[in-house]
Amino acid sequence: MNNTCTCAPELKEKEKQDGIKELKEFIKEHKLLHDKQGALMTVLHKVQEIFGYIPREAMDVVSESLGVPTAHIYGMATFYNFFSLKPKAKYQISVCKGTACYVAGGARLLERVEEELKIKLGDVTPDGLFGLSITRCLGCCGLSPVIQVNEEVFVRLVPEKIPAILEKFRKQEKKTK
Amino acid sequence: MQKKIIYLKDTDSTQQDRVNDFYTLFSNELRDTNLIEQASVVRIADMGLYEKGVAVKILPENIVYTGLKNTDVKKIIEETIKGNKVIKESLYEKKSKQMRAVLKNCGYIDPESLEDYLAAGGYKALAKVLLEMKPEQVVEELKKSGLRGRGGAGYPTWMKWNFARGMNSPEKYVICNGDEGDPGAYMDRSVLEGDPHSVLEGMIIAGYTIGSSKGYFYIRAEYPLAVERVQKAIDQAVEAGLLGNNILGSNYSFELEIRLGAGAFVCGEETALIASIEGKRGTPHPRPPYPSVKGLWEKPTIINNVETLANIPQLIFGGGAKFASIGTEKSKGTKVFALTGKVKNSGLVEVPMGITIREIIFDIGGGILNNRSIKAVQTGGPSGGVIPQEFLDTPVDYENLGKLGSIMGSGGMIAIDETDCLVDLAKFYLKFCVDESCGKCAPCRLGGYQLLHLLEKISEGKGEMEDLDKLKKISYAMQKASLCGLGQSASNPVFSTIRYFEEEYKKHIIEKKCPAGKCKALIYFKILPPKCKKCGLCFKNCPSAAILGSREAGYVIDPIKCVKCGLCFDVCKFKAVTKE
């Protein structure tokens, strides 16, 4: 039987080993607080920093070294917004849902992106390339509606322009490969 | 004689003409009087003054004249430039209603330099405390000062410290609460980023007073710059012997560490914050026992807000009596507000307690944008309430705001004008509280959700009169039965909007109308044929192709396709589109 947990997807083998090694060293070096559990927040911040999310394997490592049940760590990771159980995509698309963009048709941009990528809000494409989220306001209301892909902002959009933007990043990805 | 510089600016508007005229006048006058060697005129972009007519600032004396007329130019050149005399009639006197105490160093010193802070009188209070004062005396000074917690509830700081001081325990902790989660409030961030040493100094004094040797800074992970600067400040203080063993040669030792928050609003509540530092989910637990008795790892702990701690150094240095001379009878000192919303000048303001809300909004904030009229002021963020415009002359202090059904809170202040819908506002804040509720206690978890559901129903035009009673009932239950401050105050926005604006709720329920035109389900757009010039602008701009017609036949809006975005209303130059 496949014994993988659905809450946290598998990592690539090499990345996983490197990350876990780094994590173990961090825990060893890190001065423990009053009791071992007190170090949990700091350690989880480190896990998030190394992997970009909280993978199941890292939870187990943290659990063993701090003597805290994995279930408790899972509880922490789901309680705090800052920690994530899903890997972040390479290109995170944020559709602005600020008032100005909303008025200018931001909702239709979101629909189109969902349609193109065949994912829902908050999800990541199976190849890990694109993730979709909304943001409250990017502060460029004069150029609405806008979307942001990683650091890059695309302004005055219409849904028809979405495929070209996605294609641009796909091409960029092919080049780097 | 040192060369003078005349800075010139039209503070009324950005009309270039008037400034240029004055520039020519000044230049000509200087040339005619052969003073070109002694003075030069410079047009500048900003003087920090607004709506004061044409203004000049003359350096190096730093004389500011405002409201100048063409005829004044000659006089200024004659008397001030040549004769070094001040013309009293035109002189601008600064009448700022602000008073910078907590923010006094912010923007004036380099926050990453310990030397700058020392030069501004920093750590003198710490030296005074360690070398001259006993812990009891510090508490006594605090009591005299009347300082109350700036985090929201306004609990007297001296009582908190005194409880913890009286506890017999070998381990005690000091925590600085920098988990500022209020949307629209950033006072703590500014202090941590602009003057981190002042908070550090306050924490060391707190530690000495209660007999603690360990302190934690709890800062939001969303404030990376604040974290970086506080860490730098700690390192500098350790190196300078202001932290660590035997501080300043005394017997007192204290160490500090930073803990990061992880994006949970409820962690601003003290028991939840403690749970978070202990490596648990940030859920609150019932009080008593209060943290000053049983806090972090069950040891006596004091938790103070950033702004409270930043008040400590100047309070100790100047003495409690001096601190108490500012403010009202029960609320002393100054308070920092984050003034936002529909005001002309938004930003951080620090004012003495007892100033009226009207003074903050109109004298400091410059009034309401687009010269609309003010409807209400919201204070205290998602835990606060609204104060309608009739009560704008109320002096700001803990008691008065409480009486009006709002709270001081951490210091968010949002001006609301006639185009804002109060039902919508209550819904916005409630949505926030529902998202952030930790889910531990039923009144908050379920009550908040039900309130939100009812408000949504009302704003969609499906409300019934009995919903108002339900809203009141659930709000009341949440206030009484919730475990922590979040749940107890989550219904405040609903309570206070119903209290003052019941009429507006009734309009939504009975007439199915939103007077402010905010609730989408209750507004309709229409094109008035007599006014329509058939220009087609609305047709071009409509995002949902809901406008039908042609330039010959005129246009109509299809109510089924209309998404009520209001774009047609905004673009129409002839006011032919109406909203009702």
Side-chain angles (χ1 to χ4, degrees), chain A residues 1-16:
Chain A
M1 206 182 95
N2 195 352
N3 194 21
T4 47
C5 171
T6 49
C7 60
E10 292 288 294
L11 275 173
K12 284 193 192 108
E13 201 55 33
K14 175 138 182 5
E15 278 174 30
K16 185 168 72 183

Side-chain angles (χ1 to χ4, degrees), chain B residues 422-479:
Chain B
L422 270 308
V423 179
D424 198 58
L425 185 84
K427 208 170 75 182
F428 171 77
Y429 280 120
L430 211 64
K431 179 103 197 346
F432 181 84
C433 287
V434 169
D435 282 347
E436 291 296 339
S437 168
C438 76
K440 183 171 177 173
C441 72
C444 171
R445 183 182 65 231
L446 305 175
Y449 186 79
Q450 293 304 331
L451 282 183
L452 184 63
H453 182 71
L454 285 171
L455 285 178
E456 273 169 357
K457 203 172 133 193
I458 291 175
S459 69
E460 280 165 13
K462 295 173 190 154
E464 294 153 56
M465 274 315 279
E466 58 184 45
D467 288 342
L468 272 183
D469 286 332
K470 274 191 206 157
L471 280 175
K472 285 183 202 161
K473 231 182 211 168
I474 300 172
S475 297
Y476 185 73
M478 281 177 76
Q479 278 179 355

Side-chain angles (χ1 to χ4, degrees), chain A residues 30-43 45 68 71-72 74-83 99-100 102-105 108 136, chain B residues 171 173 214 216 218 221-222 255 257 259-264 266-267 275-283 297 299 436 438 520 543-544 565 567 570:
Chain A
H30 188 73
K31 200 175 62 181
L32 290 182
L33 279 164
H34 191 272
D35 58 10
K36 283 185 167 180
Q37 195 175 335
L40 197 50
M41 279 292 269
T42 318
V43 172
H45 268 290
V68 181
H72 181 86
Y74 179 76
M76 292 284 284
T78 48
F79 183 84
Y80 294 100
N81 292 336
F82 203 78
F83 303 134
T99 323
Y102 187 74
V103 166
R108 289 187 309 140
R136 281 300 167 203
Chain B
E171 277 176 75
Y173 297 98
K214 174 102 196 171
Y216 292 103
Y218 190 87
E222 288 89 339
E255 59 174 299
E257 221 177 291
R259 292 286 113 173
L260 290 188
V266 69
C267 285
S276 174
I277 294 184
E278 287 174 349
K280 295 176 190 152
R281 289 167 73 105
T283 49
W297 290 299
K299 302 286 186 289
E436 291 296 339
C438 76
K520 283 202 169 163
S544 61
C565 67
L567 216 55
D570 293 337

